[in-house]
Amino acid sequence: MSFYVVVGAGPVGRETARLLGEDGHDVVLTSRRGGSSPMRNVRTVQADATDASELARICRGADAIFMCAMATYHRWPTDFFPIIDGTVRTAETVGAKLIVLGNLYGYGENADSPLHSNLSLDPTSKKGTARTIMWQRAARAEVPAIEVRSSDYLGHGAISYFSLIALPSIIEGKPTAFIGDVDAAHAWAFTKDVARTLVAASRYTGEWGRAFHVPSQHASPRELILKTAAMLHRDVSDVRSYSVSEMEALGMHELIEMKYLFERPLLVDSSDAETLLGVKPSSLEVMIADTLRDHL
């Protein structure tokens, strides 16, 4: 059995640690808050990923480090770099492979769907630029690195555009608004599938220094909203799109530059992850049910 460290205890980080522990590996799950863990073979440790010397002490002997830490959304361009730099330095110090949890922002507004994992990164937003630089720094590390790129999350505890913007209105049975074209097909990734992809990527025997896409399901925001409402036995009578002025008035300033993700179809090609890693996407119904776990 191996020793793994998961940096970041959000829904994906915790599920990644759980999967590794259930496989019999020794796992340390780090976060700034620490806490306890009821998961098999998983120890929780309070640690700051920006402190490479302290993180290296925790990671000594690790076979691989999973970088699943998040920064506050509006502070990505400043707060993410010390996190990735500390994690990269730690991996180099202890000689551990590095698996980075990323997203699709780096492809930019001009990328054509479906997005392929070998597509060149060409960011057109501040957040996309931050994500691109993070991967570039990981890819230049003196240890093997892989990035697992995910689309918007569905799943219990996931903080996403859907959970923040649409879900509260759906639960209350109120008219529901979203951003962009509510009828444009969009890729949705299940947090548990993201974790499964991360774990599978850590075992990849091919050439590293590459990315994989999380196998996802595709549905328009309207379809997702109506399916969610039906599962809750709610009647959503109206689904519409917020205007930019409404978004500004509601304080959605950080979402405006990323609105392009929902203005046309965003499709993800994950065939390499499905073929090379053996990961298949869960059904949309399973994703929704897990998202609604506290409400069903």
Side-chain angles (χ1 to χ4, degrees):
M1 295 297 105
S2 301
F3 171 41
Y4 296 108
V5 177
V6 180
V7 178
V12 172
R14 289 186 64 82
E15 179 65 11
T16 301
R18 187 192 70 79
L19 290 174
L20 292 166
E22 288 295 320
D23 281 345
H25 301 294
D26 181 20
V27 184
V28 167
L29 176 64
T30 77
S31 70
R32 290 186 176 182
R33 288 178 292 181
S36 59
S37 169
M39 296 180 285
R40 177 187 172 199
N41 297 323
V42 178
R43 294 175 290 128
T44 56
V45 175
Q46 184 176 7
D48 185 343
T50 66
D51 186 344
S53 60
E54 174 63 14
L55 191 59
R57 182 187 65 79
I58 295 168
C59 295
R60 190 169 296 117
D63 295 273
I65 300 171
F66 295 81
M67 211 305 283
C68 301
M70 284 297 298
T72 303
Y73 200 51
H74 72 280
R75 294 185 60 84
W76 278 20
T78 55
D79 290 4
F80 250 146
F81 298 143
I83 292 172
I84 191 65
D85 289 344
T87 308
V88 168
R89 286 198 299 272
T90 295
E92 292 176 332
T93 298
V94 303
K97 292 182 179 180
L98 182 60
I99 303 96
V100 178
L101 173 58
N103 70 2
L104 308 178
Y105 290 11
Y107 295 122
E109 187 172 359
N110 301 315
D112 292 326
S113 285
L115 301 176
H116 300 269
S117 60
N118 60 357
L119 185 67
S120 297
L121 297 176
D122 184 22
T124 53
S125 65
K126 292 180 293 184
K127 294 178 184 62
T129 299
R131 281 293 192 179
T132 297
I133 293 172
M134 287 174 67
W135 169 236
Q136 290 171 341
R137 293 183 181 183
R140 290 197 300 265
E142 296 174 0
V143 295
I146 278 179
E147 184 168 54
V148 170
R149 296 174 185 158
S150 171
S151 189
D152 295 86
Y153 288 163
L154 293 176
H156 185 256
I159 305 300
S160 66
Y161 288 171
F162 179 74
S163 66
L164 292 173
I165 301 173
L167 189 55
S169 296
I170 299 171
I171 292 171
E172 295 176 11
K174 294 181 177 179
T176 303
F178 201 65
I179 60 176
D181 181 352
V182 296
D183 292 306
H186 192 84
W188 306 95
F190 187 24
T191 49
K192 292 183 178 179
D193 292 343
V194 179
R196 289 168 54 222
T197 309
L198 286 164
V199 171
S202 72
R203 300 167 180 159
Y204 180 56
T205 57
E207 186 175 353
W208 284 45
R210 58 159 299 164
F212 284 105
H213 285 163
V214 176
S216 305
Q217 294 289 352
H218 296 93
S220 69
R222 185 190 303 276
E223 181 181 356
L224 179 59
I225 289 167
L226 294 179
K227 282 181 177 289
T228 303
M231 195 170 291
L232 287 169
H233 304 289
R234 302 290 197 274
D235 180 19
V236 175
S237 58
D238 181 41
V239 179
R240 67 178 185 87
S241 176
Y242 282 119
S243 66
V244 172
S245 59
E246 286 178 308
M247 293 174 68
E248 291 173 339
L250 291 169
M252 300 182 188
H253 308 294
E254 293 299 316
L255 278 63
I256 292 174
E257 76 161 351
M258 305 312 303
K259 183 169 167 284
Y260 76 85
L261 293 166
F262 295 92
E263 289 178 333
R264 59 176 182 166
L266 188 148
L267 309 177
V268 170
D269 184 324
S270 60
S271 56
D272 52 354
E274 296 183 42
T275 301
L276 299 175
L277 304 183
V279 180
K280 305 295 182 184
S282 300
S283 70
L284 188 60
E285 288 71 22
V286 166
M287 297 182 189
I288 295 171
D290 193 74
T291 303
L292 299 176
R293 192 192 309 170
D294 294 334
H295 305 281
L296 291 175

